[in-house]
Amino acid sequence: AHNRVREIYFTLTGHNQALQRVIKIADDNVAEFYYVPQLPRTLTRGMEYHNIGHIPVLSIRRNPLKSSLNSGIKRAFDIVFSGTFLCVYPLIYIPVAIAIKLSSPGPVYFKQERTGYLGKSFVCYKFRTMKVGASSDQATRVDPRKTRVGDFLRHTSLDELPQFINVFKGDMSVVGPRPHMLAHTEIYTQLVDSYMLRHAVKPGITGWAQVNGYRGLTDELWKMERRVEHDMWYIENWNFFLDLKIIVRTVFNAIHGEQNAF
């Protein structure tokens, strides 16, 4: 009685008769039975159990937004949040548009194709912060391509506000991995492991990487690697309150100014 077995772990594969026999022994002795699947080391990460009909399957990556309920909640929030903002958007657009026009000739908006959900490209909107004809490479801290107004818009992140139009249209979400230029997607797909997995959800105006300091220039590979790591953590740990936390931190950072916002 002192050595009574309370738990049984079965690790053999391809031994169905032995498996059934051990399960019966466990049941007869009121012992907990655990089946240990033999998995390669490349799959040693958090997994989720699912059923496809009566067939059990293991998913090697968590993505709470695969749930129709979760994705519906996130999309409903995006519509309400962006729709409310767009109602007052003209109060911001008019003075910003005048300032942009006075700072240099050209359009108010800067439009650029970026990589979005599932790797599909979309047209991303921003307030123009550079002179017309300037290259579309990432801006540096002291960049002659930027206008004086553009420098202010970038430092305060006001240049990103037109992306609420993208959110309302469904191209983006309020919170998610930042959308990158198509050229960067092509380059970093070859350089950073799991880079394309950041597109398993819609890109966002702000994200977990950005509120943790990984925004702006990615002139060194490790910066993009850290950004992707944070994006993947966000995707695997998404919940509605995490989105609210990121929004609050984004507003706080915008008010106090960010070191990497340029």
Side-chain angles (χ1 to χ4, degrees):
H2 294 292
N3 297 317
R4 186 172 182 180
V5 174
R6 296 294 184 185
E7 298 178 345
I8 297 177
Y9 294 82
F10 191 90
T11 62
L12 302 177
T13 58
H15 295 76
N16 291 336
Q17 291 183 349
L19 174 63
Q20 293 175 1
R21 189 161 58 249
V22 173
I23 290 175
K24 185 177 188 311
I25 292 172
D27 291 346
D28 290 346
N29 290 274
V30 198
E32 292 287 343
F33 177 86
Y34 298 94
Y35 180 76
V36 183
Q38 299 299 304
L39 299 172
R41 290 185 178 181
T42 52
L43 298 183
T44 55
R45 63 176 80 197
M47 296 187 179
E48 285 191 329
Y49 176 88
H50 303 277
N51 279 312
I52 299 179
H54 297 291
I55 302 174
V57 295
L58 289 175
S59 171
I60 65 171
R61 296 183 184 89
R62 292 187 69 249
N63 184 351
L65 287 171
K66 282 185 178 179
S67 159
S68 298
L69 176 61
N70 289 340
S71 61
I73 291 172
K74 188 170 176 64
R75 181 58 186 152
F77 176 78
D78 285 341
I79 292 173
V80 172
F81 195 97
S82 62
T84 302
F85 175 81
L86 291 176
C87 289
V88 299
Y89 180 60
L91 300 177
I92 300 172
Y93 173 83
I94 293 173
V96 170
I98 293 173
I100 291 173
K101 286 289 189 180
L102 291 176
S103 68
S104 70
V108 173
Y109 286 139
F110 171 71
K111 302 176 184 179
Q112 185 181 61
E113 273 198 278
R114 299 209 173 183
T115 309
Y117 181 54
L118 299 180
K120 298 177 182 177
S121 63
F122 71 100
V123 177
C124 182
Y125 299 102
K126 295 181 70 174
F127 281 128
R128 182 172 62 86
T129 60
M130 295 186 177
K131 300 168 186 175
V132 172
S135 65
S136 57
D137 295 336
Q138 284 184 305
T140 56
R141 189 175 299 277
V142 180
D143 197 318
R145 297 173 299 169
K146 293 187 291 186
T147 64
R148 185 174 299 178
V149 170
D151 197 42
F152 170 77
L153 293 176
R154 283 177 172 270
H155 185 67
T156 57
S157 298
L158 290 173
D159 62 318
E160 310 285 0
L161 293 182
Q163 286 163 34
F164 280 104
I165 299 172
N166 289 117
V167 173
F168 195 77
K169 289 171 59 180
D171 296 325
M172 295 178 63
S173 179
V174 176
V175 180
R178 285 293 298 155
H180 293 163
M181 294 184 288
L182 302 187
H184 282 182
T185 298
E186 184 176 349
I187 293 170
Y188 287 113
T189 297
Q190 308 300 321
L191 298 176
V192 181
D193 290 341
S194 304
Y195 177 85
M196 284 302 295
L197 290 176
R198 65 193 302 276
H199 303 106
V201 298
K202 289 182 180 180
I205 296 177
T206 185
W208 184 241
Q210 284 63 48
V211 298
N212 281 283
Y214 296 103
R215 60 165 295 174
L217 192 63
T218 52
D219 53 340
E220 297 179 66
L221 185 59
W222 69 267
K223 294 180 180 179
M224 182 60 77
E225 290 173 339
R226 296 294 89 74
R227 184 181 292 189
V228 172
E229 287 176 7
H230 281 73
D231 289 339
M232 291 306 301
W233 186 91
Y234 168 79
I235 292 171
E236 294 178 351
N237 294 276
W238 178 89
N239 64 70
F240 180 68
F241 296 102
L242 176 60
D243 274 3
L244 294 181
K245 176 181 178 180
I246 292 172
I247 290 171
V248 170
R249 286 181 60 174
T250 299
V251 173
F252 179 85
N253 290 345
I255 293 173
H256 289 80
E258 293 190 73
Q259 183 179 357
N260 294 328
F262 52 82

